[in-house]
Amino acid sequence: MHIRRSPEEIAANRARYEEHQKKGLEFAPKALPGKSAKPAPTIAADAILHQEKLPGGWYWWTRVKANEVLRIALNEGFSTVSVVAWSAADSSERMNLPDTVKVQWTTGLGKGRVIFSDMGKVMFSIIKDSCGAHDVLMGGSTASSNAKKYAGANGAALRNTRENFVLVATKAGLDKRDIPAALALFAPVRVDAEGKFQWKSELVSDGDYVDLRAEMDMIVGFSNCPHPLDPNPVYAPNPVAITRIAAMEPAADDLCRTATAEAVRGFENNAFATL
């Protein structure tokens, strides 16, 4: 049964929310670091655990250990790479973008931010990022979105992110119901004054890269398919380089671990889970 709230109750709830938001924003850094410099730093040969060249339209999945780093790099031209993740210890715990946005008071993920699970723990830290243009709101492509964008039935036959992640989940021993909302890297989506989604191509360029540090053991899936808002009328995603880098213990004052009160609590949850 729906209980209708009075205007006074609604106003009181909003006031409590705004006070909580104010405290969170006051604790947060006034400005996170700028974009990471290009080209991407060279990775020592003995630190490379695996390198994958993900063709346009295809998917890949891997297991990572805590403190390992995944570098996703646009070495061969523009592509959008969608990412999903599950805890290796308990696959019912998975990436949660709504909480990631809500907890950090921003949809603008970039260097210094973290990505939360649905259990309030940190899954990834964004330790390097050359563009800061990623989409946490729209999700990846589907057969339907491809059909609308690439000439009907022929477009529907092209590979899409939804079906790629169904394959990832199946091969990892999961089900399509386990697939969380996907983070779209190198997807320069912005919201205009009227609340409409806009694609800002100038925010991403060749050679852009992101380094995601794993904060727990995980199963991670990738899909290299065009974003639904990508204005290119031709289905032409370029290959993407994904490198798994050996673990290195973060410093005690690591920015991602200390930037906000919410991030601090998230890492406390991570630590508590290992006791």
Side-chain angles (χ1 to χ4, degrees), residues 54-73:
L54 184 57
W58 287 84
Y59 67 92
W60 180 63
W61 71 283
T62 188
R63 293 180 182 270
V64 297
K65 298 288 187 181
N67 293 334
E68 291 179 353
V69 173
L70 291 166
R71 173 171 294 175
I72 305 96

Side-chain angles (χ1 to χ4, degrees), residues 19-266:
E19 178 63 20
H20 181 58
Q21 181 188 44
K22 180 174 181 290
K23 290 180 179 178
L25 292 174
E26 285 175 348
F27 183 92
K30 299 304 179 185
L32 287 170
K35 299 173 185 177
S36 300
K38 295 196 294 186
T42 300
I43 305 168
D46 60 355
I48 296 174
L49 301 177
H50 180 79
Q51 288 185 307
E52 189 74 18
K53 185 174 180 178
L54 184 57
W58 287 84
Y59 67 92
W60 180 63
W61 71 283
T62 188
R63 293 180 182 270
V64 297
K65 298 288 187 181
N67 293 334
E68 291 179 353
V69 173
L70 291 166
R71 173 171 294 175
I72 305 96
L74 304 184
N75 295 339
E76 300 185 47
F78 175 75
S79 273
T80 290
V81 183
S82 297
V83 183
V84 292
W86 301 266
S87 165
D90 180 357
S91 59
S92 68
E93 181 175 8
R94 61 204 64 172
M95 179 188 290
N96 188 306
L97 294 182
D99 282 358
T100 294
V101 167
K102 178 173 62 178
V103 165
Q104 296 177 105
W105 309 103
T106 181
T107 60
L109 296 189
K111 183 178 178 181
R113 294 296 185 185
V114 297
I115 300 168
F116 283 88
S117 77
D118 55 2
M119 299 298 289
K121 291 186 280 184
V122 180
M123 301 191 84
F124 289 111
S125 291
I126 305 174
I127 60 173
K128 288 185 174 65
D129 178 14
S130 66
C131 69
H134 315 297
D135 175 30
V136 298
L137 299 174
M138 293 196 64
S141 60
T142 63
S144 176
S145 69
N146 277 357
K148 293 176 182 177
K149 187 175 176 182
Y150 303 110
N154 291 334
L158 297 170
R159 299 189 69 92
N160 66 79
T161 289
R162 172 62 183 175
E163 291 175 356
N164 277 351
F165 282 148
V166 170
L167 293 171
V168 166
T170 301
K171 291 186 176 182
L174 303 170
D175 187 87
K176 63 183 180 181
R177 292 172 296 182
D178 296 314
I179 302 170
L183 168 64
L185 300 174
F186 315 115
V189 176
R190 294 293 184 266
V191 181
D192 66 16
E194 297 180 353
K196 297 179 181 178
F197 292 119
Q198 302 290 332
W199 184 266
K200 301 291 186 179
S201 300
E202 67 275 11
L203 299 179
V204 182
S205 59
D206 290 356
D208 273 325
Y209 65 98
V210 176
D211 283 4
L212 302 177
R213 183 178 64 216
E215 301 295 353
M216 63 175 70
D217 294 355
M218 287 184 288
I219 300 166
V220 186
F222 300 90
S223 174
N224 181 9
C225 292
H227 189 277
L229 282 188
D230 186 339
N232 188 348
V234 179
Y235 184 97
N238 289 299
V240 172
I242 304 176
T243 305
R244 183 179 166 205
I245 305 170
M248 181 177 294
E249 191 70 25
D253 61 350
D254 181 82
L255 174 66
C256 294
R257 295 180 173 230
T258 58
T260 67
E262 290 80 8
V264 170
R265 285 195 291 270

